[in-house]
mmCIF file of all heavy atoms in Angstrom:
data_model
loop_
_atom_site.group_PDB
_atom_site.id
_atom_site.type_symbol
_atom_site.label_atom_id
_atom_site.label_comp_id
_atom_site.label_asym_id
_atom_site.label_seq_id
_atom_site.Cartn_x
_atom_site.Cartn_y
_atom_site.Cartn_z
ATOM 1 N N SER A 176 142.570 -54.240 52.321
ATOM 2 C CA SER A 176 142.884 -55.029 53.517
ATOM 3 C C SER A 176 142.739 -54.178 54.769
ATOM 4 O O SER A 176 142.223 -54.634 55.797
ATOM 5 C CB SER A 176 144.305 -55.590 53.422
ATOM 6 O OG SER A 176 144.428 -56.482 52.334
ATOM 7 N N ALA A 177 143.213 -52.920 54.698
ATOM 8 C CA ALA A 177 143.077 -52.018 55.840
ATOM 9 C C ALA A 177 141.605 -51.745 56.122
ATOM 10 O O ALA A 177 141.170 -51.740 57.282
ATOM 11 C CB ALA A 177 143.817 -50.713 55.560
ATOM 12 N N ASN A 178 140.829 -51.539 55.076
ATOM 13 C CA ASN A 178 139.404 -51.284 55.222
ATOM 14 C C ASN A 178 138.697 -52.487 55.859
ATOM 15 O O ASN A 178 137.842 -52.338 56.735
ATOM 16 C CB ASN A 178 138.792 -50.987 53.856
ATOM 17 C CG ASN A 178 137.451 -50.296 53.951
ATOM 18 O OD1 ASN A 178 137.381 -49.095 54.131
ATOM 19 N ND2 ASN A 178 136.382 -51.068 53.836
ATOM 20 N N GLU A 179 139.096 -53.694 55.422
ATOM 21 C CA GLU A 179 138.492 -54.912 55.959
ATOM 22 C C GLU A 179 138.804 -55.067 57.448
ATOM 23 O O GLU A 179 137.943 -55.445 58.242
ATOM 24 C CB GLU A 179 139.019 -56.128 55.187
ATOM 25 C CG GLU A 179 138.451 -57.446 55.674
ATOM 26 C CD GLU A 179 139.030 -58.634 54.923
ATOM 27 O OE1 GLU A 179 139.776 -58.418 53.942
ATOM 28 O OE2 GLU A 179 138.758 -59.775 55.334
ATOM 29 N N LEU A 180 140.046 -54.754 57.829
ATOM 30 C CA LEU A 180 140.443 -54.858 59.231
ATOM 31 C C LEU A 180 139.654 -53.882 60.094
ATOM 32 O O LEU A 180 139.128 -54.245 61.163
ATOM 33 C CB LEU A 180 141.941 -54.593 59.365
ATOM 34 C CG LEU A 180 142.508 -54.582 60.788
ATOM 35 C CD1 LEU A 180 142.328 -55.947 61.438
ATOM 36 C CD2 LEU A 180 143.980 -54.194 60.770
ATOM 37 N N ILE A 181 139.554 -52.637 59.642
ATOM 38 C CA ILE A 181 138.813 -51.628 60.402
ATOM 39 C C ILE A 181 137.336 -52.012 60.502
ATOM 40 O O ILE A 181 136.719 -51.896 61.571
ATOM 41 C CB ILE A 181 138.975 -50.244 59.735
ATOM 42 C CG1 ILE A 181 140.430 -49.761 59.827
ATOM 43 C CG2 ILE A 181 138.037 -49.225 60.355
ATOM 44 C CD1 ILE A 181 140.918 -49.512 61.225
ATOM 45 N N SER A 182 136.767 -52.477 59.407
ATOM 46 C CA SER A 182 135.349 -52.856 59.410
ATOM 47 C C SER A 182 135.089 -54.027 60.354
ATOM 48 O O SER A 182 134.046 -54.090 61.008
ATOM 49 C CB SER A 182 134.908 -53.241 57.992
ATOM 50 O OG SER A 182 135.003 -52.142 57.117
ATOM 51 N N SER A 183 136.049 -54.956 60.431
ATOM 52 C CA SER A 183 135.862 -56.128 61.284
ATOM 53 C C SER A 183 135.794 -55.757 62.760
ATOM 54 O O SER A 183 135.331 -56.550 63.574
ATOM 55 C CB SER A 183 137.003 -57.125 61.057
ATOM 56 O OG SER A 183 138.225 -56.640 61.583
ATOM 57 N N ALA A 184 136.256 -54.540 63.105
ATOM 58 C CA ALA A 184 136.192 -54.083 64.494
ATOM 59 C C ALA A 184 134.889 -53.352 64.783
ATOM 60 O O ALA A 184 134.737 -52.756 65.848
ATOM 61 C CB ALA A 184 137.373 -53.163 64.790
ATOM 62 N N GLY A 185 133.954 -53.384 63.840
ATOM 63 C CA GLY A 185 132.672 -52.728 64.045
ATOM 64 C C GLY A 185 132.688 -51.240 63.767
ATOM 65 O O GLY A 185 131.812 -50.507 64.222
ATOM 66 N N ILE A 186 133.684 -50.766 63.011
ATOM 67 C CA ILE A 186 133.817 -49.345 62.677
ATOM 68 C C ILE A 186 133.204 -49.102 61.299
ATOM 69 O O ILE A 186 133.465 -49.857 60.356
ATOM 70 C CB ILE A 186 135.302 -48.935 62.690
ATOM 71 C CG1 ILE A 186 135.864 -49.089 64.110
ATOM 72 C CG2 ILE A 186 135.478 -47.510 62.190
ATOM 73 C CD1 ILE A 186 137.360 -48.948 64.191
ATOM 74 N N ALA A 187 132.400 -48.056 61.192
ATOM 75 C CA ALA A 187 131.714 -47.760 59.931
ATOM 76 C C ALA A 187 132.699 -47.300 58.870
ATOM 77 O O ALA A 187 133.518 -46.404 59.114
ATOM 78 C CB ALA A 187 130.650 -46.683 60.158
ATOM 79 N N THR A 188 132.637 -47.880 57.690
ATOM 80 C CA THR A 188 133.439 -47.464 56.542
ATOM 81 C C THR A 188 132.515 -47.298 55.337
ATOM 82 O O THR A 188 131.532 -48.024 55.194
ATOM 83 C CB THR A 188 134.528 -48.503 56.202
ATOM 84 O OG1 THR A 188 133.899 -49.758 55.909
ATOM 85 C CG2 THR A 188 135.489 -48.684 57.359
ATOM 86 N N PRO A 189 132.801 -46.350 54.449
ATOM 87 C CA PRO A 189 131.950 -46.165 53.270
ATOM 88 C C PRO A 189 132.034 -47.378 52.343
ATOM 89 O O PRO A 189 133.053 -48.095 52.332
ATOM 90 C CB PRO A 189 132.547 -44.922 52.593
ATOM 91 C CG PRO A 189 133.408 -44.273 53.624
ATOM 92 C CD PRO A 189 133.898 -45.374 54.507
ATOM 93 N N PRO A 190 131.008 -47.628 51.528
ATOM 94 C CA PRO A 190 131.080 -48.714 50.546
ATOM 95 C C PRO A 190 132.306 -48.553 49.653
ATOM 96 O O PRO A 190 132.639 -47.443 49.224
ATOM 97 C CB PRO A 190 129.781 -48.555 49.752
ATOM 98 C CG PRO A 190 128.856 -47.837 50.683
ATOM 99 C CD PRO A 190 129.722 -46.928 51.494
ATOM 100 N N THR A 191 132.985 -49.654 49.370
ATOM 101 C CA THR A 191 134.206 -49.596 48.573
ATOM 102 C C THR A 191 134.482 -50.943 47.932
ATOM 103 O O THR A 191 134.007 -51.971 48.415
ATOM 104 C CB THR A 191 135.406 -49.171 49.448
ATOM 105 O OG1 THR A 191 136.531 -48.918 48.629
ATOM 106 C CG2 THR A 191 135.760 -50.239 50.459
ATOM 107 N N GLU A 192 135.248 -50.938 46.838
ATOM 108 C CA GLU A 192 135.699 -52.182 46.218
ATOM 109 C C GLU A 192 136.817 -51.868 45.223
ATOM 110 O O GLU A 192 137.052 -50.709 44.865
ATOM 111 C CB GLU A 192 134.548 -52.901 45.513
ATOM 112 C CG GLU A 192 133.981 -52.170 44.309
ATOM 113 C CD GLU A 192 132.863 -52.978 43.632
ATOM 114 O OE1 GLU A 192 131.820 -53.222 44.274
ATOM 115 O OE2 GLU A 192 133.068 -53.338 42.448
ATOM 116 N N LEU A 193 137.528 -52.921 44.809
ATOM 117 C CA LEU A 193 138.523 -52.776 43.759
ATOM 118 C C LEU A 193 137.841 -52.864 42.403
ATOM 119 O O LEU A 193 136.917 -53.658 42.215
ATOM 120 C CB LEU A 193 139.591 -53.874 43.865
ATOM 121 C CG LEU A 193 140.588 -53.775 45.025
ATOM 122 C CD1 LEU A 193 141.570 -54.943 44.957
ATOM 123 C CD2 LEU A 193 141.338 -52.455 45.005
ATOM 124 N N ILE A 194 138.316 -52.056 41.464
ATOM 125 C CA ILE A 194 137.746 -52.089 40.108
ATOM 126 C C ILE A 194 138.871 -52.158 39.083
ATOM 127 O O ILE A 194 139.986 -51.686 39.327
ATOM 128 C CB ILE A 194 136.878 -50.841 39.832
ATOM 129 C CG1 ILE A 194 137.698 -49.560 40.044
ATOM 130 C CG2 ILE A 194 135.640 -50.847 40.694
ATOM 131 C CD1 ILE A 194 137.033 -48.312 39.534
ATOM 132 N N LYS A 195 138.552 -52.734 37.943
ATOM 133 C CA LYS A 195 139.513 -52.788 36.843
ATOM 134 C C LYS A 195 138.967 -52.161 35.564
ATOM 135 O O LYS A 195 139.728 -51.753 34.691
ATOM 136 C CB LYS A 195 139.917 -54.241 36.579
ATOM 137 C CG LYS A 195 140.729 -54.859 37.706
ATOM 138 C CD LYS A 195 141.209 -56.253 37.335
ATOM 139 C CE LYS A 195 142.061 -56.853 38.438
ATOM 140 N NZ LYS A 195 142.549 -58.216 38.099
ATOM 141 N N THR A 196 137.654 -52.081 35.463
ATOM 142 C CA THR A 196 137.048 -51.582 34.228
ATOM 143 C C THR A 196 136.065 -50.454 34.533
ATOM 144 O O THR A 196 135.556 -50.318 35.659
ATOM 145 C CB THR A 196 136.283 -52.707 33.508
ATOM 146 O OG1 THR A 196 135.174 -53.124 34.318
ATOM 147 C CG2 THR A 196 137.200 -53.891 33.238
ATOM 148 N N PHE A 197 135.791 -49.673 33.482
ATOM 149 C CA PHE A 197 134.834 -48.585 33.623
ATOM 150 C C PHE A 197 133.436 -49.133 33.892
ATOM 151 O O PHE A 197 132.665 -48.557 34.663
ATOM 152 C CB PHE A 197 134.844 -47.746 32.348
ATOM 153 C CG PHE A 197 133.827 -46.635 32.345
ATOM 154 C CD1 PHE A 197 133.844 -45.648 33.317
ATOM 155 C CD2 PHE A 197 132.847 -46.584 31.362
ATOM 156 C CE1 PHE A 197 132.915 -44.627 33.318
ATOM 157 C CE2 PHE A 197 131.912 -45.567 31.354
ATOM 158 C CZ PHE A 197 131.946 -44.583 32.334
ATOM 159 N N GLU A 198 133.107 -50.260 33.289
ATOM 160 C CA GLU A 198 131.792 -50.858 33.487
ATOM 161 C C GLU A 198 131.584 -51.237 34.952
ATOM 162 O O GLU A 198 130.510 -51.031 35.515
ATOM 163 C CB GLU A 198 131.626 -52.094 32.592
ATOM 164 C CG GLU A 198 131.579 -51.788 31.113
ATOM 165 C CD GLU A 198 130.443 -50.827 30.774
ATOM 166 O OE1 GLU A 198 129.348 -50.983 31.354
ATOM 167 O OE2 GLU A 198 130.660 -49.922 29.933
ATOM 168 N N ARG A 199 132.636 -51.781 35.543
ATOM 169 C CA ARG A 199 132.541 -52.162 36.954
ATOM 170 C C ARG A 199 132.385 -50.917 37.843
ATOM 171 O O ARG A 199 131.635 -50.924 38.820
ATOM 172 C CB ARG A 199 133.795 -52.944 37.358
ATOM 173 C CG ARG A 199 133.762 -53.493 38.764
ATOM 174 C CD ARG A 199 132.687 -54.549 38.907
ATOM 175 N NE ARG A 199 132.647 -55.078 40.253
ATOM 176 C CZ ARG A 199 131.678 -55.867 40.712
ATOM 177 N NH1 ARG A 199 130.650 -56.196 39.926
ATOM 178 N NH2 ARG A 199 131.718 -56.328 41.945
ATOM 179 N N ALA A 200 133.067 -49.847 37.457
ATOM 180 C CA ALA A 200 132.955 -48.604 38.213
ATOM 181 C C ALA A 200 131.538 -48.033 38.115
ATOM 182 O O ALA A 200 130.989 -47.534 39.104
ATOM 183 C CB ALA A 200 133.973 -47.590 37.699
ATOM 184 N N LYS A 201 130.941 -48.122 36.907
ATOM 185 C CA LYS A 201 129.560 -47.631 36.739
ATOM 186 C C LYS A 201 128.589 -48.451 37.588
ATOM 187 O O LYS A 201 127.662 -47.892 38.179
ATOM 188 C CB LYS A 201 129.151 -47.688 35.269
ATOM 189 C CG LYS A 201 129.737 -46.593 34.421
ATOM 190 C CD LYS A 201 128.937 -46.381 33.128
ATOM 191 C CE LYS A 201 128.843 -47.685 32.321
ATOM 192 N NZ LYS A 201 128.075 -47.468 31.071
ATOM 193 N N ASP A 202 128.798 -49.751 37.614
ATOM 194 C CA ASP A 202 127.936 -50.605 38.448
ATOM 195 C C ASP A 202 127.990 -50.166 39.915
ATOM 196 O O ASP A 202 126.963 -50.152 40.609
ATOM 197 C CB ASP A 202 128.380 -52.066 38.337
ATOM 198 C CG ASP A 202 128.092 -52.653 36.958
ATOM 199 O OD1 ASP A 202 127.274 -52.062 36.226
ATOM 200 O OD2 ASP A 202 128.691 -53.686 36.618
ATOM 201 N N PHE A 203 129.176 -49.801 40.347
ATOM 202 C CA PHE A 203 129.339 -49.373 41.739
ATOM 203 C C PHE A 203 128.536 -48.093 42.008
ATOM 204 O O PHE A 203 127.845 -47.977 43.021
ATOM 205 C CB PHE A 203 130.822 -49.140 42.049
ATOM 206 C CG PHE A 203 131.087 -48.682 43.460
ATOM 207 C CD1 PHE A 203 131.287 -49.594 44.490
ATOM 208 C CD2 PHE A 203 131.136 -47.325 43.770
ATOM 209 C CE1 PHE A 203 131.535 -49.164 45.793
ATOM 210 C CE2 PHE A 203 131.374 -46.880 45.067
ATOM 211 C CZ PHE A 203 131.572 -47.814 46.077
ATOM 212 N N THR A 204 128.595 -47.139 41.063
ATOM 213 C CA THR A 204 127.888 -45.875 41.274
ATOM 214 C C THR A 204 126.379 -46.061 41.199
ATOM 215 O O THR A 204 125.629 -45.375 41.895
ATOM 216 C CB THR A 204 128.327 -44.821 40.250
ATOM 217 O OG1 THR A 204 128.056 -45.291 38.923
ATOM 218 C CG2 THR A 204 129.804 -44.529 40.390
ATOM 219 N N GLU A 205 125.933 -46.971 40.349
ATOM 220 C CA GLU A 205 124.492 -47.236 40.272
ATOM 221 C C GLU A 205 123.976 -47.814 41.584
ATOM 222 O O GLU A 205 122.844 -47.561 41.994
ATOM 223 C CB GLU A 205 124.201 -48.195 39.115
ATOM 224 C CG GLU A 205 124.399 -47.549 37.745
ATOM 225 C CD GLU A 205 124.266 -48.551 36.615
ATOM 226 O OE1 GLU A 205 123.960 -49.742 36.915
ATOM 227 O OE2 GLU A 205 124.475 -48.179 35.448
ATOM 228 N N LYS A 206 124.827 -48.575 42.249
ATOM 229 C CA LYS A 206 124.428 -49.212 43.503
ATOM 230 C C LYS A 206 124.553 -48.257 44.693
ATOM 231 O O LYS A 206 123.703 -48.261 45.597
ATOM 232 C CB LYS A 206 125.297 -50.446 43.738
ATOM 233 C CG LYS A 206 124.978 -51.202 45.023
ATOM 234 C CD LYS A 206 125.887 -52.424 45.166
ATOM 235 C CE LYS A 206 125.607 -53.166 46.465
ATOM 236 N NZ LYS A 206 126.508 -54.345 46.618
ATOM 237 N N ASN A 207 125.583 -47.402 44.679
ATOM 238 C CA ASN A 207 125.899 -46.602 45.869
ATOM 239 C C ASN A 207 125.706 -45.103 45.681
ATOM 240 O O ASN A 207 125.720 -44.355 46.654
ATOM 241 C CB ASN A 207 127.346 -46.866 46.310
ATOM 242 C CG ASN A 207 127.566 -48.308 46.710
ATOM 243 O OD1 ASN A 207 127.099 -48.749 47.750
ATOM 244 N ND2 ASN A 207 128.283 -49.055 45.871
ATOM 245 N N GLY A 208 125.555 -44.650 44.420
ATOM 246 C CA GLY A 208 125.310 -43.241 44.168
ATOM 247 C C GLY A 208 126.585 -42.423 44.046
ATOM 248 O O GLY A 208 127.689 -42.905 44.200
ATOM 249 N N TRP A 209 126.373 -41.124 43.733
ATOM 250 C CA TRP A 209 127.467 -40.162 43.592
ATOM 251 C C TRP A 209 127.508 -39.297 44.857
ATOM 252 O O TRP A 209 126.506 -39.202 45.555
ATOM 253 C CB TRP A 209 127.256 -39.283 42.357
ATOM 254 C CG TRP A 209 127.088 -40.032 41.070
ATOM 255 C CD1 TRP A 209 125.902 -40.413 40.494
ATOM 256 C CD2 TRP A 209 128.120 -40.486 40.195
ATOM 257 N NE1 TRP A 209 126.121 -41.072 39.310
ATOM 258 C CE2 TRP A 209 127.486 -41.127 39.097
ATOM 259 C CE3 TRP A 209 129.510 -40.416 40.214
ATOM 260 C CZ2 TRP A 209 128.188 -41.701 38.047
ATOM 261 C CZ3 TRP A 209 130.206 -40.968 39.156
ATOM 262 C CH2 TRP A 209 129.560 -41.605 38.095
ATOM 263 N N PRO A 210 128.614 -38.589 45.066
ATOM 264 C CA PRO A 210 129.909 -38.649 44.380
ATOM 265 C C PRO A 210 130.746 -39.836 44.865
ATOM 266 O O PRO A 210 130.408 -40.455 45.875
ATOM 267 C CB PRO A 210 130.570 -37.320 44.774
ATOM 268 C CG PRO A 210 129.990 -37.006 46.113
ATOM 269 C CD PRO A 210 128.592 -37.533 46.096
ATOM 270 N N VAL A 211 131.826 -40.102 44.122
ATOM 271 C CA VAL A 211 132.739 -41.179 44.504
ATOM 272 C C VAL A 211 134.171 -40.652 44.448
ATOM 273 O O VAL A 211 134.443 -39.561 43.940
ATOM 274 C CB VAL A 211 132.590 -42.411 43.584
ATOM 275 C CG1 VAL A 211 131.222 -43.032 43.729
ATOM 276 C CG2 VAL A 211 132.891 -42.049 42.130
ATOM 277 N N VAL A 212 135.084 -41.445 44.966
ATOM 278 C CA VAL A 212 136.506 -41.115 44.932
ATOM 279 C C VAL A 212 137.268 -42.343 44.438
ATOM 280 O O VAL A 212 136.878 -43.473 44.717
ATOM 281 C CB VAL A 212 137.014 -40.679 46.335
ATOM 282 C CG1 VAL A 212 136.732 -41.749 47.369
ATOM 283 C CG2 VAL A 212 138.487 -40.350 46.307
ATOM 284 N N LEU A 213 138.327 -42.103 43.674
ATOM 285 C CA LEU A 213 139.213 -43.179 43.237
ATOM 286 C C LEU A 213 140.547 -43.057 43.964
ATOM 287 O O LEU A 213 141.074 -41.951 44.144
ATOM 288 C CB LEU A 213 139.455 -43.125 41.727
ATOM 289 C CG LEU A 213 138.274 -43.394 40.805
ATOM 290 C CD1 LEU A 213 138.747 -43.421 39.340
ATOM 291 C CD2 LEU A 213 137.573 -44.701 41.139
ATOM 292 N N LYS A 214 141.098 -44.206 44.365
ATOM 293 C CA LYS A 214 142.384 -44.221 45.072
ATOM 294 C C LYS A 214 143.240 -45.364 44.552
ATOM 295 O O LYS A 214 142.719 -46.448 44.237
ATOM 296 C CB LYS A 214 142.175 -44.423 46.587
ATOM 297 C CG LYS A 214 141.273 -43.425 47.255
ATOM 298 C CD LYS A 214 141.082 -43.795 48.727
ATOM 299 C CE LYS A 214 140.113 -42.853 49.413
ATOM 300 N NZ LYS A 214 139.901 -43.227 50.836
ATOM 301 N N LEU A 215 144.539 -45.114 44.472
ATOM 302 C CA LEU A 215 145.473 -46.208 44.218
ATOM 303 C C LEU A 215 145.566 -47.058 45.473
ATOM 304 O O LEU A 215 145.554 -46.544 46.598
ATOM 305 C CB LEU A 215 146.862 -45.678 43.856
ATOM 306 C CG LEU A 215 146.990 -44.937 42.526
ATOM 307 C CD1 LEU A 215 148.423 -44.452 42.340
ATOM 308 C CD2 LEU A 215 146.580 -45.829 41.357
ATOM 309 N N SER A 216 145.664 -48.372 45.273
ATOM 310 C CA SER A 216 145.757 -49.285 46.406
ATOM 311 C C SER A 216 147.024 -50.107 46.273
ATOM 312 O O SER A 216 147.157 -50.926 45.367
ATOM 313 C CB SER A 216 144.528 -50.211 46.452
ATOM 314 O OG SER A 216 144.640 -51.144 47.512
ATOM 315 N N SER A 217 147.984 -49.840 47.177
ATOM 316 C CA SER A 217 149.255 -50.564 47.157
ATOM 317 C C SER A 217 149.867 -50.554 48.544
ATOM 318 O O SER A 217 149.860 -49.510 49.221
ATOM 319 C CB SER A 217 150.228 -49.926 46.161
ATOM 320 O OG SER A 217 151.533 -50.481 46.311
ATOM 321 N N PRO A 218 150.433 -51.677 49.000
ATOM 322 C CA PRO A 218 151.093 -51.693 50.310
ATOM 323 C C PRO A 218 152.355 -50.842 50.355
ATOM 324 O O PRO A 218 152.876 -50.570 51.429
ATOM 325 C CB PRO A 218 151.413 -53.179 50.528
ATOM 326 C CG PRO A 218 151.455 -53.769 49.163
ATOM 327 C CD PRO A 218 150.443 -53.014 48.367
ATOM 328 N N GLU A 219 152.841 -50.415 49.191
ATOM 329 C CA GLU A 219 154.056 -49.602 49.144
ATOM 330 C C GLU A 219 153.768 -48.107 49.149
ATOM 331 O O GLU A 219 154.680 -47.301 49.213
ATOM 332 C CB GLU A 219 154.879 -49.963 47.899
ATOM 333 C CG GLU A 219 155.397 -51.399 47.903
ATOM 334 C CD GLU A 219 156.254 -51.692 49.119
ATOM 335 O OE1 GLU A 219 157.155 -50.883 49.427
ATOM 336 O OE2 GLU A 219 156.015 -52.714 49.789
ATOM 337 N N ILE A 220 152.491 -47.740 49.045
ATOM 338 C CA ILE A 220 152.132 -46.316 49.055
ATOM 339 C C ILE A 220 151.317 -46.036 50.306
ATOM 340 O O ILE A 220 150.149 -46.423 50.401
ATOM 341 C CB ILE A 220 151.327 -45.926 47.797
ATOM 342 C CG1 ILE A 220 152.130 -46.229 46.528
ATOM 343 C CG2 ILE A 220 150.962 -44.451 47.840
ATOM 344 C CD1 ILE A 220 151.388 -45.925 45.255
#
């Protein structure tokens, strides 16, 4: 949500998405390349 808000203001952000499976994560790397970073996403952290 924070990324979406910043992007909506015309600010450049790296490609990103939520993932649940390893297959989905691999699809992301095939599309965007290496290296990547994983982050927990929670409004409480």
